[in-house]
Amino acid sequence: MLERYVRRYMHEMERRLHARDEGERVVRPFAWGLEHLGYGNESGLNPREVLRGFNRQALAGSEEFFRPPETGGQESGIFTLENREDYGWLRYPSGLATAHMSNNIVHGRYYRAGRDDRAVIVSPQWNANEESHVALCRGLNRCGISALRLSLPYHDWRRPAELTRADYMISANIGRTIESVRQAVMDLRRAVDWLRWRGVERIGVMGSSIGSCVSWLA
């Protein structure tokens, strides 16, 4: 009885959430998106086979695939931290450059706590707004844990002007979806470097939905 009630409640809630912003959704065409994976306009390519080969190589060399370029250390100056009222606004260039300039700068909110020797990097869900998971970060602060809330690719401050949703993060364009998830993992790993340079000794990751996948891959 209880199981049926909980199942019905969860399904109804999912339908409500799904329908809430239906008016903002845009149906986008399917695309292989090979140009997002470093392929040009070579004729005669079989896109399905190209993607299979690309994925095999990525899986076989996943450490290299998800490794961001070297930053040159703390002295490189690529990280900027602006102190706000109750958090620090962190910005740095993404480890993977895309065609959208706004998407190539990573934004994060750093909530310090306690001795600032342990921190959790928080990655929100797909289409999260800029306030999503901020309460979670403050909750971690109450436990004496610092928190860094990162913006995913194509979200909030990184979203191109032509979008109202983060349609380029996960979409019907396969190549761009692979590129954006790879970018998100690189961004998170660069955040780990920044925390280590600050002297943070213990670093954890957590997220919800696509944010949990990015955290796991990182």
Side-chain angles (χ1 to χ4, degrees):
M1 170 84 69
L2 178 60
E3 180 181 351
R4 288 199 302 272
Y5 171 79
V6 172
R7 184 187 301 116
R8 185 171 65 252
Y9 171 77
M10 293 297 293
H11 288 174
E12 290 174 354
M13 183 175 66
E14 286 293 326
R15 282 190 285 270
R16 287 199 307 272
L17 293 174
H18 178 270
R20 186 174 59 183
D21 58 349
E22 189 171 356
E24 297 181 354
R25 291 196 179 98
V26 176
V27 177
R28 300 186 184 275
F30 171 83
W32 293 105
L34 299 186
E35 67 276 14
H36 295 281
L37 305 178
Y39 296 92
N41 296 319
E42 297 94 334
S43 61
L45 289 178
N46 182 324
R48 191 186 303 272
E49 292 305 316
V50 169
L51 280 172
R52 283 176 175 165
F54 182 89
N55 286 334
R56 279 195 295 266
Q57 292 180 4
L59 289 170
S62 60
E63 175 61 32
E64 181 65 28
F65 183 73
F66 288 117
R67 179 187 295 127
E70 293 294 332
T71 58
Q74 181 80 335
E75 297 75 20
S76 64
I78 72 167
F79 296 94
T80 61
L81 183 67
E82 175 188 343
N83 290 322
R84 300 290 181 93
E85 184 175 348
D86 63 341
Y87 62 88
W89 190 279
L90 178 67
R91 295 184 184 89
Y92 57 93
S94 174
L96 194 158
T98 67
H100 296 87
M101 297 301 296
S102 61
N103 183 52
N104 296 335
I105 299 297
V106 184
H107 297 259
R109 299 188 191 186
Y110 189 55
Y111 296 85
R112 303 181 187 88
R115 294 167 51 193
D116 199 23
D117 61 345
R118 53 182 179 164
V120 171
I121 301 173
V122 179
S123 298
Q125 76 276 8
W126 183 43
N127 276 312
N129 63 32
E130 59 270 17
E131 295 299 322
S132 179
H133 289 56
V134 168
L136 172 61
C137 294
R138 291 179 173 138
L140 289 167
N141 283 178
R142 296 190 187 98
C143 299
I145 302 171
S146 298
L148 175 59
R149 189 268 190 203
L150 287 183
S151 292
L152 292 169
Y154 300 108
H155 283 67
D156 43 69
W157 300 279
R158 305 178 65 175
R159 190 170 60 203
E162 70 265 24
L163 297 182
T164 57
R165 294 164 49 90
D167 287 352
Y168 292 169
M169 173 76 184
I170 305 293
S171 71
N173 187 309
I174 297 178
R176 184 160 55 197
T177 298
I178 294 173
E179 178 190 56
S180 64
V181 172
R182 184 188 187 192
Q183 183 183 36
V185 175
M186 288 185 173
D187 296 344
L188 195 157
R189 295 183 72 168
R190 274 199 165 173
V192 171
D193 290 340
W194 179 76
L195 289 170
R196 285 175 174 162
W197 292 332
R198 283 182 58 88
V200 178
E201 298 172 358
R202 302 175 63 187
I203 302 171
V205 295
M206 67 182 302
S208 61
S209 191
I210 190 61
S212 66
C213 298
V214 169
S215 300
W216 180 80
L217 288 169

